[in-house]
Amino acid sequence: MTITAAEAARHFASKLEFETDPSDVRAAREAGEPFVLVDSRGDAAWAQARIPGAIHLPTAQIGERAAALIPEGMPVVVYCWGPGCNGSTRAALQFSLLGYPVKEMIGGFEYWAREGLGIENDNGPVERGTDELTAPVHVDAITCDC
């Protein structure tokens, strides 16, 4: 099978239109970019830990609750557990069918936490170290540099 450079460029450009990652979400938040971060996992997962500032909207409830929680046209970034889960893909599909501009945060909650970015539960912040296999371990160096 032969794939041309132009086909590859279209494919990868398309992926970047619809996917983001924890480092880029963090950077977008710090830059003040407008978007809503949506945790599409179930109640038990939300209670266990979540990304601060995210809203909890399980995938099965997006169709009935999204309009009441998220203004029309507001960009949405969805996440679920991690790369072994396609829940965020399902959530992104639901948002796109409702007309929202949406991106899927690849790596999900797992890589957000593994990269040492802030997480919380109902009791407040949850302390967790950075996994050296996913991000630089120096606090001031948490950046993708990709």
Side-chain angles (χ1 to χ4, degrees):
M1 173 166 60
T2 303
I3 298 172
T4 68
E7 290 169 328
R10 278 192 302 277
H11 168 76
F12 292 112
S14 178
K15 281 184 70 162
L16 292 171
E17 285 184 53
F18 301 107
E19 295 178 352
T20 188
D21 62 33
S23 181
D24 288 344
V25 169
R26 176 179 176 248
R29 279 180 146 186
E30 289 178 352
E33 293 180 25
F35 67 94
V36 174
L37 184 60
V38 174
D39 184 321
S40 66
R41 301 172 303 154
D43 293 339
W46 173 262
Q48 181 175 314
R50 59 201 170 253
I51 299 172
I55 67 166
H56 185 220
L57 186 53
T59 301
Q61 298 174 19
I62 291 170
E64 64 192 52
R65 295 183 52 216
L69 297 172
I70 304 168
E72 183 180 332
M74 174 64 73
V76 174
V77 174
V78 296
Y79 72 88
C80 200
W81 274 110
C85 172
N86 67 4
S88 59
T89 303
R90 294 172 195 264
L93 174 60
Q94 290 301 308
F95 276 108
S96 68
L97 291 171
L98 293 173
Y100 287 91
V102 61
K103 285 191 174 193
E104 178 179 17
M105 187 175 80
I106 60 172
F109 179 76
E110 176 188 350
Y111 275 76
W112 181 277
R114 289 180 73 187
E115 289 182 20
L117 303 174
I119 62 173
E120 66 182 11
N121 62 24
D122 292 342
N123 298 315
V126 175
E127 294 299 320
R128 182 174 169 80
T130 302
D131 181 338
E132 65 186 27
L133 296 177
T134 63
V137 295
H138 298 94
V139 175
D140 61 344
I142 298 177
T143 182
C144 182
D145 291 335
C146 295

